[in-house]
Amino acid sequence: MRAVLRGVALAALLSSASFVGAAPRQAIALDSGWQARIAPGDTDAVAAHRREARWFAVQVPGSIQQDLIAQHRVPDPFLATNEAAIQWVGRTDWQYRHTLVATPALLARDHLDLVFDGLDTFATVTINGQAVLSADNAHRRWRIDAKRYLKPGANTILITIAAPIRALAPVVLAAKRSLPGEYDSAFADDPGGRQTSPYIRKPKYHYGWDWGPRIITIGPWRPVRLEAWDSARIDTLRVDQDALNDAEARLSARATVQADRAGAATLRVVLTAPDGSHQTVTQRVTLAAGDNAVTLPITVAQPQRWQPVGYGAQPLYRVAATLEQDGAATDTAERRIGLRTVELIREGGAMGFRVNGTPIFAKGANLIPFDSLPTRTTTETMRPLLLAARDANMNMLRVWGGGYYLDDAFYDMTDELGLMVWQDFMFGGAVTPPDAAFRANVRIEAEQQVERLGNHPSIVLWAGGNEVLSGWENWSDRKAYKRAVGPDEQERVGAGMAVLFDRVLRDAVLTRSPGTPYWPGSPSTDYEGPVDTDASGDRHFWDVWSGSKPVERYLDACPRFMSEYGFQAMPDMATIRDFAGPGALTPDSPVLKAHQKFLAGEGNARLRLYIHDRLGEPKDLGDFVYLSQVNQAEAIALAALHHRACRPVTMGSLYWQLNDVWPAISWSSIDHAGRWKLLHYAARRFFAPQVIVAEHVGAATRLALVSDATTPTPARWRVRAFDMAGRLLAEHGAAVTLPPLSATEAARIEDAALFAGADAKTSYAVAELLVGDAPVSRAIVERGVPRDMAYPDPGLHATWHGRELTVTATALARAVMLDFGAVGAQPSDDGFDLLPGESRTVSVASTASPAALARALTLRSLGSRR
C-alpha cells in the first residue's frame, strides 16, 4: 500500500514540476540565401526558358514575378503593353531552395518549427528530400515540426509550387458545370474557357479585375522562419473586452500555451496605459501536454476610449504576456489594444455604426490591394494613402474581399489615425465550392486571421466577402447556372454558402473577436430579406457608370448604407507618361486601352460618353484627362452629399475606390503613383465635418445642412444667385443652430425666387454654410449640365512665390485644375471653384524646381476651354 501511495505522490510531483532547463523561444528569420528555378518536371517551360531553369537568387518573402521583373528577366508588366509578356510565369511550376545550417546547439532544442506565414499557393515542402507539408491556401500560416528531418550541418529546404491553373484544370473540367467566377481571362488560358479562381484560396484580383492586370503570383509571399523552443510556448494571445464603462474596463487576457508535457509555469501579463503607467497580473498554471487555455483578468480604472477620427483621441494600451518556466522567461507575446464599443444599427432595416454610443456616419472609400505584387507593399507605401484618407475627412475604409488580409502595420496605422476599418473576409464574388473540405480549410484561415487582427480597435466590422451572396441571388450568370445544374445541385451549392458565411466565418468572429460585429457579406441584410436594395442593409449602386445612367440617378433614393458606388477618371498626365512613354496618344491608343480594364479595354468609350453628355467634346488628351477628372469629382460629390443629406436614413457612403494596384484608368481617387485626382480634393470638401448640400431638382433648389459634430453648432447659411457678369440676382439665408449628428433641410427655393427670371445658361447660384464668419462649405447651383452653361473666360492668372502659387479669377472659374502635364506635382488644393475676383493660394509638392513647375503649368477650367 505504501508503494502505491509513493507512486501516486511521485506522479503528482512530476505532473506539477517546472520545466527545468527551458530556454527562451528563438525565431530565426529565413529571409536570405534563397534561390529559385523552373521546376524540372515542367518540361515545356524548361525548354522555353532555359535561363530560368537554372537556379538564380530571389527574395523571400516575395513572388517569382517580382524577382523576374527586378532582374530584367521579363518586361515590367506595368509599362507599355507588357502585361502579356509575363503571363507564362504564372502558368509555370517553380521551385524555391534554401540551405539551413543546423548547429549542435540548435539541434539540442526540444522543438524546431518551420513556419511559413504565407505560401502562394499549391506548395509542397521537403526537407532533405522528405515531404513535410502540402499547402493549398495562400491566406493561411503553416507550421511544421521540422526537428526530426534536420541533421547537423547543411539542410536543404525545397518548396515546389504548382501553377494554379494547371493544378485545378482536372477539377474544373470534370465538373458538369463549373462554378461562376469573377472575370474571364484576357489571355485565353483558363481550361476550356472555365475559370479556376473559384476553387482556390488565393487573392482573387491576381486573376485580373476590371481595374487590374492578370498576374497570377507564385512564391513564399510572407515571412519564413525557424522557431526553436523547449517544452512550452505561447501560441496565441488576445485581449477580450468583457465590459466597458466610464469607471472601469474589465478585460481578459487569453493565451493559448502549447506544451509538450505536463508541468508548472507562470504567465505574467503587463498592461501599459497610454500615459506609460502599468499594472501586472500573474497566474501560476499547471500545463497539460497539448494546447492550454490560460485566462488572466485585468481591470482598468478610468479607461480612455479609442474614438474614430473626428470624435476624439485614439489612446492605445499595450498588453505583454511572458511565459516563465523554472524562474526564467521562455516566451513572450504582445498585443496593442484600444478600448471601445461597436454595435450595428439595424432597427427597421437600418445599417450603420454606433461607436462608444455615438451613431457615426461612415465617410470613406473602398480600399483594394496596394499593388499587384503584394510583397512590394511596405509601411512607406501604405502610410501616404492612409494619411490622404484621413486628410480628406474620411473616417472609414472598407478592405475589399478580392485581395488579401493586410499586414499588421496597416492596422497599426488605422488604429493610430482613427480610421475605422470594414474588413471583408477574402471572397471576391465567385460562388464558393460546396464541399466540407473547402469550408474546413477556410475555417482555419478565418480563425488565424481574426486571431491575428481581432484586437485592432479600428476594425469595426468583419464581413463575409464581396458580392458573393448578392450575386447568387441577383446576377444573370448565377441564375443561368442554377437552371443548368438543377434544383438538387443548386440547393447543395446554396446551402454550402449559407454554412460558410452564416456559421463558419461568423463563428470565427464570435469566438476570436467578441464585441466586433459580423456581417455575412457586402451587400447584405444579414439574412433578413432581399439584398442590395435601398430598404435594408448595405447597397452597391452601379446604375451610374456601369449602367450608363445619368449621374442624377444618385438623387433618386436614400439607401441605408452605400458601401459601393463609383465613377472612373483618367490619372494625371504625369502618370500616363510614366507608363505610356513619349509620343502621340489618344484615348484609343493601344497602351491606354491596355491600362483600361473596364469592358476588356473599351471602358474609355464610357468616359467619352459621360464627358460628351455633361461637359462637351475634349480638344486633346490633356483636355480628356481634365474633363474625366471633373466628371468623376462632380459625380461622386453629388452622390456623397446626397447620402449625407439623407441622414439618419442613410448612415454611410463609401465610394469605389481609393487606390490602384497598378497605373490604370480606373475609379480611384489616388492613382498608383500616389497622385491625387480631382476627386480626392473634392472628397476633402464633401466629407467635411459641416457641409451645405444644394440639389437642383425640377424647378427648385433644396438646401440641407449637415453636421457631424457631437454638440450644437451656431451657423449661418446663404444662397446668392448671379448672372455671368457678376450681378447679384437674389439672396436668401438665415442664422441656424446645427443639431448634433444631423442633416436638416434648411430651405426649398423655387427658381423664380432664386434666379429672378434669368436665363438658365447665363446664371448660377452659390450656396454657402458659414461657421463664425468663415465659409466652411460651398456649392455651385446650376440649372443645366455644365456643357450647356455659358461660362465666361475666367481670366485665370497665376502668381508664383517659390513653391506657392496664387490663382486669381476675374469671372466665375468652374473646376480649376492646376495641370503640370508630364511633370509630377501635387498641389495642396485643386479642382476648386473661384468666384469673380477671388484668389486661392496653394503650395505645390514636387521634385521639380519652381521654375520647371511654372513652365509646365496649364490653368484649366470649364470656362477657359471655350
Side-chain angles (χ1 to χ4, degrees):
M1 184 67 174
R2 285 199 187 101
V4 172
L5 289 175
R6 247 192 328 267
V8 171
L10 180 60
L13 179 64
L14 289 174
S15 68
S16 61
S18 300
F19 296 102
V20 179
R25 179 169 62 92
Q26 180 183 10
I28 304 167
L30 305 183
D31 55 2
S32 62
W34 287 88
Q35 295 177 308
R37 69 176 179 183
I38 296 172
D42 193 341
T43 54
D44 289 344
V46 168
H49 305 280
R50 295 191 179 279
R51 184 184 177 200
E52 285 66 46
R54 299 188 296 272
W55 291 110
F56 59 98
V58 293
Q59 297 294 316
V60 170
S63 68
I64 196 65
Q65 286 90 342
Q66 185 174 334
D67 288 298
L68 295 175
I69 294 166
Q71 296 178 34
H72 306 289
R73 293 170 178 260
V74 295
D76 188 336
F78 285 14
L79 301 180
T81 57
N82 292 339
E83 181 188 354
I86 202 171
Q87 296 307 307
W88 69 270
V89 181
R91 297 196 290 260
T92 298
D93 299 340
W94 292 88
Q95 287 186 332
Y96 281 75
R97 182 176 70 179
H98 178 80
T99 299
L100 171 66
V101 177
T103 64
L106 187 65
L107 291 172
R109 301 299 299 268
D110 288 355
H111 300 275
L112 297 173
D113 290 354
L114 186 59
V115 183
F116 298 93
D117 283 338
L119 290 169
D120 188 7
T121 295
F122 293 124
T124 300
V125 179
T126 65
I127 300 176
N128 297 326
Q130 298 184 69
V132 299
L133 173 67
S134 179
D136 60 355
N137 187 331
H139 301 300
R140 280 179 55 179
R141 180 183 64 250
W142 304 89
R143 179 183 289 270
I144 306 160
D145 183 358
K147 181 175 179 178
R148 56 182 167 165
Y149 304 107
L150 296 174
K151 61 184 181 180
N155 296 265
T156 300
I157 300 172
L158 185 70
I159 309 171
T160 302
I161 305 181
I165 295 174
R166 185 162 57 222
L168 287 168
V171 175
V172 173
L173 293 174
K176 180 180 178 182
R177 178 88 178 225
S178 58
L179 294 171
E182 286 106 356
Y183 289 90
D184 289 333
S185 173
F187 302 99
D189 53 1
D190 278 324
R194 298 182 176 192
Q195 292 183 25
T196 57
S197 64
Y199 299 87
I200 190 173
R201 293 307 296 145
K202 172 180 173 60
K204 297 307 178 75
Y205 80 108
H206 289 167
Y207 290 84
W209 219 266
D210 58 0
W211 36 254
R214 187 175 176 92
I215 302 179
I216 303 174
T217 55
I218 283 174
W221 74 288
R222 291 218 185 266
V224 183
R225 64 187 175 278
L226 187 73
E227 290 190 2
W229 57 284
D230 300 323
S231 63
R233 65 179 177 85
I234 300 174
D235 187 46
T236 63
L237 172 68
R238 77 169 193 268
V239 183
D240 290 351
Q241 179 183 287
D242 302 319
L244 175 65
N245 56 47
D246 291 342
E248 68 175 16
R250 292 194 297 276
L251 311 177
S252 294
R254 300 183 185 274
T256 301
V257 178
Q258 187 180 78
D260 61 6
R261 60 186 180 273
T266 299
L267 190 67
R268 187 181 309 277
V269 172
V270 178
L271 180 140
T272 303
D275 64 2
S277 62
H278 60 268
Q279 60 174 292
T280 302
V281 180
T282 301
Q283 184 169 316
R284 184 75 170 168
V285 295
T286 300
L287 302 176
D291 287 341
N292 297 263
V294 184
T295 301
L296 277 72
I298 307 172
T299 300
V300 181
Q302 278 74 54
Q304 300 178 52
R305 294 179 188 244
W306 181 93
Q307 298 282 8
V309 62
Y311 294 86
Q314 292 78 44
L316 297 167
Y317 294 76
R318 289 191 179 274
V319 177
T322 301
L323 181 67
E324 297 178 355
Q325 300 168 251
D326 197 30
T330 56
D331 203 0
T332 60
E334 185 173 298
R335 285 286 182 266
R336 191 173 68 168
I337 66 171
L339 306 178
R340 53 96 178 109
T341 60
V342 180
E343 55 188 312
L344 282 184
I345 302 169
R346 291 291 292 132
E347 298 83 2
M351 170 69 182
F353 294 88
R354 191 179 286 117
V355 181
N356 297 319
T358 301
I360 294 178
F361 190 99
K363 305 179 297 185
N366 288 261
L367 182 86
I368 63 173
F370 292 87
D371 198 282
S372 290
L373 305 175
T375 48
R376 293 207 295 207
T377 299
T378 64
T379 301
E380 289 69 31
T381 56
M382 291 188 289
R383 182 175 291 278
L385 275 166
L386 295 180
L387 290 172
R390 183 204 60 185
D391 293 346
N393 291 306
M394 296 182 185
N395 59 28
M396 176 175 279
L397 295 174
R398 174 185 171 223
V399 178
W400 169 77
Y404 59 93
Y405 305 94
L406 296 169
D407 291 346
D408 297 77
F410 170 84
Y411 303 95
D412 287 341
M413 287 186 283
T414 57
D415 290 345
E416 294 159 6
L417 295 172
L419 289 169
M420 296 182 291
V421 174
W422 169 316
Q423 177 66 53
D424 279 3
F425 284 100
M426 291 301 121
F427 293 90
V431 174
T432 55
D435 54 285
F438 178 85
R439 292 193 297 274
N441 195 349
V442 172
R443 177 187 61 78
I444 297 171
E445 165 197 324
E447 290 174 352
Q448 287 182 352
Q449 295 296 345
V450 178
E451 194 83 57
R452 178 174 71 94
L453 301 174
N455 273 142
H456 288 280
S458 55
I459 299 179
V460 298
L461 184 76
W462 285 89
N466 175 74
E467 296 181 349
V468 179
L469 301 177
S470 60
W472 182 249
E473 186 172 308
N474 297 325
W475 293 358
S476 59
D477 66 329
R478 273 59 169 166
K479 293 178 180 179
Y481 172 83
K482 294 174 189 177
R483 290 192 299 269
V485 300
D488 290 345
E489 184 66 6
Q490 174 184 334
E491 174 65 20
R492 190 172 81 94
V493 173
M497 287 193 290
V499 172
L500 176 62
F501 293 105
D502 195 31
R503 290 194 209 164
V504 173
L505 299 181
R506 191 187 299 273
D507 286 350
V509 177
L510 288 174
T511 58
R512 284 159 173 77
S513 187
T516 303
Y518 173 76
W519 196 240
S522 184
S524 174
T525 58
D526 202 5
Y527 298 99
E528 293 179 0
V531 300
D532 206 13
T533 73
D534 293 325
S536 181
D538 67 313
R539 185 88 205 271
H540 291 190
F541 184 81
W542 287 102
D543 286 5
V544 178
W545 184 261
S546 294
S548 300
K549 297 296 191 294
V551 298
E552 289 73 21
R553 288 290 295 272
Y554 285 132
L555 305 180
D556 287 352
C558 291
R560 297 306 189 128
F561 193 108
M562 188 67 87
S563 50
E564 269 195 33
Y565 63 101
F567 201 96
Q568 273 201 0
M570 304 282 284
D572 280 0
M573 282 299 301
T575 298
I576 292 173
R577 288 301 180 190
D578 285 347
F579 72 77
L585 291 172
T586 73
D588 294 323
S589 294
V591 66
L592 292 188
K593 294 177 75 172
H595 287 252
Q596 164 63 276
K597 293 300 182 179
F598 180 65
L599 295 180
E602 299 302 324
N604 290 342
R606 189 66 49 86
L607 283 171
R608 186 179 288 108
L609 169 71
Y610 277 107
I611 289 172
H612 175 270
D613 288 351
R614 297 195 72 252
L615 302 175
E617 290 302 317
K619 299 175 182 178
D620 52 29
L621 183 62
D623 200 30
F624 189 91
V625 168
Y626 165 67
L627 294 178
S628 75
Q629 290 200 20
V630 170
N631 247 354
Q632 182 192 40
E634 294 195 346
I636 300 303
L638 182 73
L641 289 168
H642 179 69
H643 298 154
R644 297 189 70 188
C646 286
R647 181 176 186 158
V649 174
T650 304
M651 285 300 292
S653 183
L654 309 179
Y655 66 74
W656 187 270
Q657 66 207 55
L658 179 68
N659 60 314
D660 279 322
V661 302
W662 77 320
I665 301 158
S666 79
W667 296 265
S668 69
S669 60
I670 301 177
D671 70 25
H672 190 257
R675 298 181 177 116
W676 292 21
K677 299 180 187 176
L678 296 187
L679 169 57
H680 206 78
Y681 295 98
R684 188 165 56 194
R685 295 186 279 272
F686 61 66
F687 281 151
Q690 286 88 30
V691 293
I692 188 166
V693 183
E695 296 176 352
H696 187 268
V697 179
T701 298
R702 173 185 176 251
L703 298 175
L705 309 177
V706 179
S707 177
D708 289 337
T710 57
T711 57
T713 305
R716 182 165 58 93
W717 68 267
R718 70 184 179 195
V719 57
R720 297 172 292 164
F722 300 92
D723 63 17
M724 292 300 176
R727 182 172 62 93
L728 181 67
L729 301 175
E731 181 172 358
H732 302 264
V736 295
T737 296
L738 304 179
L741 307 169
S742 67
T744 307
E745 185 161 324
R748 185 180 184 278
I749 307 172
E750 300 291 332
D751 284 353
L754 182 57
F755 293 101
D759 186 272
K761 295 181 179 181
T762 59
S763 59
Y764 63 96
V766 182
E768 293 177 305
L769 177 65
L770 298 92
V771 176
D773 294 327
V776 296
S777 178
R778 172 189 285 177
I780 301 295
V781 181
E782 297 159 328
R783 286 177 284 168
V785 295
R787 179 194 63 192
D788 297 333
M789 298 297 292
Y791 298 124
D793 186 329
L796 293 174
H797 176 70
T799 304
W800 286 89
H801 299 282
R803 294 187 179 275
E804 282 197 341
L805 165 66
T806 299
V807 182
T808 304
T810 58
L812 173 68
R814 283 278 284 111
V816 176
M817 181 183 191
L818 312 180
D819 186 353
F820 293 93
V823 176
Q826 182 168 304
S828 58
D829 197 7
D830 209 353
F832 46 80
D833 299 318
L834 291 176
L835 300 182
E838 275 193 335
S839 296
R840 182 72 55 88
T841 298
V842 301
S843 58
V844 182
S846 176
T847 58
S849 68
L853 291 171
R855 289 193 300 270
L857 176 65
T858 298
L859 293 175
R860 298 185 184 272
S861 76
L862 296 180
S864 59
R865 298 181 61 253
R866 304 189 187 282

